């Protein structure tokens, strides 16, 4: 019974590609993801038509809706890709993190903004900064992108991450909440083993990988974990899918696990490699031209070449976002526009009506459906042929909405007609009336 720990960065495109490659290679019997355990039943919707990321799982206390937490997902989120892969391959998938029923039970009930939080990593030191410094790079974001996010090497990448995080955690003393979270995840891994699953894949934040290796020396045993989790307070919770945006995934929004460039990360996930750089310049040029700027094919060629030259001069293994933006600004300009619209972006996710929703959204959908059905039932066709004489009349369409009246005329008929056709729609009640006299408003 092998357990494979895939340490990822939340919302990392290279991590997501590596997860997919590892899952295709390992073909596990069960997939366990770092997500609050109380969202487990909602995971089956991932991959269904109509649920398009970015979206978030909202867990809230029904009696006090202000006590809530969001768990956002993007297309390039490794957890999203892992769940979707499991659903597409009919493989069991479960959320194994500490339930938010426990977390929200210890949150104040005042209903203010302070009660709403985002589910995110709370790793105490900054492991990426430490690892980047050890590698001689002062920029942890750039170092991680070079090593992981722009590559997507599959299982070898996760082996390297596990070794690096083991070194970063040496001497670290976890907080009480982190002890509880990791104890809950270890208990779920052991339960999967007892259930007889031969291949187990765990997708979790890279920081947790050393603590979730249940076979490693020094890791708390089952009895210790049970004692850690015993007697924790709980509160009744409900779960719903809600739309999210790339802008709210950005670190600048206050989201603790946010990324600096969600739009760029989506692009890197969809178009990895050098071809993706050229495509990004195409998108940037189209945007600049739509806003009245100048961008020609020559600009695209020059921008791509300049980005590659900058990467070589800076000693980077491949072109990154910094090189792309510097080149785009030098060749086309419009840096603020490109950063706002493409690097971050305003992409909005969608949630189908059939998915679990918050009460307000469910009520609005229900009211809309009821009104549409009522309109269909109340549609009537009425013939009023009180006059049979021949006359020359305009065919006029009269539309009445909440007291307003408008008419639309068709060309006058010069042949004799028995009646002219007109439609009257009064506050969603539609009548087809055939009369020989003219309507007046």
């Amino acid at each position: 019974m092998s357990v494979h720990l895939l340490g990822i960065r939340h919302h990392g495109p290279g991590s997501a590609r590596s997860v997919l490659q590892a899952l295709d290679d390992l073909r596990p019997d069960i997939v366990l993801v770092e997500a609050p355990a109380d969202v487990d039943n909602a995971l089956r919707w991932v991959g269904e038509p109509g649920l398009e990321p970015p979206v978030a799982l909202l867990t809230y206390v029904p009696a006090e809706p202000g006590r809530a937490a969001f768990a956002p997902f993007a297309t390039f989120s490794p957890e999203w890709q892992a769940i979707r892969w499991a659903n597409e391959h009919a493989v069991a998938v479960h959320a194994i993190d500490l339930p938010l029923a426990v977390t929200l039970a210890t949150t104040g009930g005042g209903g203010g903004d302070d009660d709403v939080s985002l589910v995110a990593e709370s790793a105490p030191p900054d492991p990426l900064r430490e690892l980047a410094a050890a590698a001689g790079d002062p920029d942890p974001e750039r170092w991680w992108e070079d090593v992981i996010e722009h590559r997507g090497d599959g299982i070898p990448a996760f082996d390297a991450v596990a070794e690096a995080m083991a070194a970063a955690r040496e001497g670290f003393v976890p907080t009480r909440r982190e002890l509880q979270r990791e104890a809950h995840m270890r208990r779920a891994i052991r339960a999967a083993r007892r259930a007889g699953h031969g291949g187990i894949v765990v997708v979790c934040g890279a920081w947790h990988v050393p603590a979730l290796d249940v076979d490693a020396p020094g890791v708390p045993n089952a009895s210790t974990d049970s004692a850690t989790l015993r007697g924790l307070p709980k509160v009744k919770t409900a779960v719903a899918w809600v739309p999210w945006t790339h802008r709210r995934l950005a670190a600048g929004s206050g989201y603790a696990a946010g990324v600096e460039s969600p739009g760029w990360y989506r692009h890197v996930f969809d178009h990895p490699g050098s071809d993706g750089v050229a495509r990004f310049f195409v998108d940037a040029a189209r945007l600049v031209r739509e806003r009245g700027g100048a961008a020609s094919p020559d600009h695209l060629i020059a921008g791509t070449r300049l980005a590659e030259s900058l990467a070589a001069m800076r000693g980077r293994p491949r072109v990154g976002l910094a090189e792309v933006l510097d080149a785009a600004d030098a060749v086309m300009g419009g840096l603020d526009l490109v950063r706002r619209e493409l690097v971050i972006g305003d992409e909005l996710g969608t949630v189908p009506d059939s998915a679990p929703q918050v009460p307000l959204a469910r009520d609005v959908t229900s009211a809309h459906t009821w009104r549409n059905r009522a309109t269909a039932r109340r549609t009537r066709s009425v013939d009023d042929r009180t006059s049979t004489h021949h006359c020359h009349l305009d065919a006029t369409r009269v539309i009445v909405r909440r007291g307003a009246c408008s008419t639309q005329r068709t060309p006058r008929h010069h042949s004799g007609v028995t009646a002219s056709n007109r439609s009257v729609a009064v506050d969603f009640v539609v009548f087809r009336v055939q009369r020989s006299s003219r309507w007046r408003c």
Side-chain angles (χ1 to χ4, degrees):
M1 296 183 183
S2 57
V3 177
H4 299 273
L5 301 171
L6 308 185
I8 52 91
R9 183 187 186 183
H10 301 297
H11 316 305
S15 295
R17 289 199 306 275
S18 290
V19 164
L20 289 176
Q21 184 174 333
L23 290 172
D24 285 336
D25 292 341
L26 296 171
R27 295 287 169 173
D29 299 332
I30 187 172
V31 176
L32 308 178
V33 295
E34 180 193 334
D38 25 20
V39 308
D40 205 65
N41 290 333
L43 299 185
R44 67 183 181 88
W45 292 96
V46 175
E48 290 293 320
L51 186 63
E52 298 294 338
V55 291
L57 278 168
L58 166 65
T59 305
Y60 62 98
V61 180
E64 300 176 71
R67 297 166 66 184
F70 295 93
F73 297 91
T75 300
F76 49 85
S77 300
E79 300 94 333
W80 177 271
Q81 292 298 331
I83 297 167
R84 181 168 185 164
W85 184 94
N87 288 339
E88 289 177 350
H89 291 80
V91 171
V93 58
H94 295 291
I96 63 172
D97 205 348
L98 188 70
L100 283 168
V102 174
T103 305
L104 296 177
T106 58
T107 302
D113 291 341
D114 292 341
D115 293 329
V116 180
S117 61
L118 293 169
V119 178
E121 284 295 281
S122 55
D126 186 346
L128 297 187
R129 186 171 299 278
E130 294 183 5
L131 293 171
D137 194 327
D139 188 339
E141 288 288 330
R142 183 176 64 185
W143 175 83
W144 181 263
E145 287 186 359
D146 286 343
V147 174
I148 300 294
E149 300 307 341
H150 288 167
R151 298 178 61 174
D153 292 338
I155 295 176
F158 296 120
D159 294 338
V161 167
E163 185 178 351
M165 290 302 163
R169 284 184 67 117
E170 285 184 4
F172 165 67
V173 179
T175 63
R176 177 177 298 180
R177 179 62 77 205
E178 188 156 3
L179 285 173
Q180 294 167 352
R181 291 182 61 199
E182 292 175 344
H184 195 277
M185 288 190 277
R186 283 192 296 268
R187 186 167 69 176
I189 294 171
R190 294 186 181 107
R193 271 186 164 178
R194 289 196 302 272
H197 293 289
I200 303 171
V201 163
V202 181
V203 180
C204 62
W207 176 254
H208 298 296
V209 168
L212 300 187
D213 187 354
V214 294
D215 297 321
V219 173
N221 57 28
S223 299
T224 302
D225 287 342
S226 296
T228 300
L229 298 172
R230 187 176 299 119
L232 294 179
K234 292 185 178 181
V235 67
K236 183 179 180 180
T237 60
V239 177
W241 284 105
V242 296
W244 211 248
T245 66
H246 274 178
R247 198 165 298 279
R248 297 200 69 182
L249 278 170
S253 69
Y255 175 31
V259 294
E260 297 293 335
S261 49
W264 166 254
Y265 270 10
R266 169 64 189 269
H267 182 85
V268 170
F269 179 76
D270 291 339
H271 309 290
S274 58
D275 180 60
V277 174
R279 285 174 176 267
F280 189 85
F281 276 106
V282 171
D283 294 341
R286 181 183 297 113
L287 177 64
V288 170
R289 294 187 63 168
E290 287 175 353
R291 303 302 171 86
S296 68
D298 288 341
H299 288 94
L300 303 183
I301 297 172
T304 303
R305 289 177 176 174
L306 179 56
E308 294 172 349
S309 299
L310 287 173
M313 291 172 58
R314 295 169 180 176
R316 300 195 66 177
R318 55 190 55 81
V319 175
L321 178 60
E323 288 72 38
V324 168
L325 292 181
D326 288 345
D329 190 36
V331 173
M332 294 182 293
L335 180 60
D336 291 340
L337 176 64
V338 172
R339 189 185 299 276
R340 182 176 64 253
E341 301 294 333
L342 297 182
V343 175
I344 297 178
D346 281 318
E347 187 166 345
L348 173 67
T350 61
V351 176
D353 295 340
S354 54
Q357 297 183 2
V358 293
L360 177 60
R362 194 166 53 243
D363 290 346
V364 169
T365 301
S366 177
H368 180 69
T369 303
W370 176 87
R371 192 159 193 172
N372 285 343
R373 291 175 178 172
T375 301
R377 288 197 302 269
R378 293 163 64 187
T379 299
R380 297 291 184 267
S381 180
V382 180
D383 283 345
D384 180 8
R385 295 190 175 121
T386 58
S387 176
T388 59
H389 62 276
H390 295 288
C391 57
H392 299 283
L393 295 176
D394 291 337
T396 305
R397 179 175 175 80
V398 183
I399 300 176
V400 183
R401 286 287 188 212
R402 302 183 185 278
C405 181
S406 64
T407 64
Q408 299 173 343
R409 294 181 180 273
T410 60
R412 178 182 296 272
H413 295 284
H414 295 288
S415 60
V417 293
T418 302
S420 61
N421 293 334
R422 299 172 179 87
S423 293
V424 181
V426 184
D427 197 15
F428 294 96
V429 183
V430 181
F431 297 91
R432 173 74 61 183
V433 182
Q434 294 180 318
R435 299 180 60 92
S436 60
S437 58
R438 185 182 301 277
W439 283 81
R440 299 184 182 275
C441 297

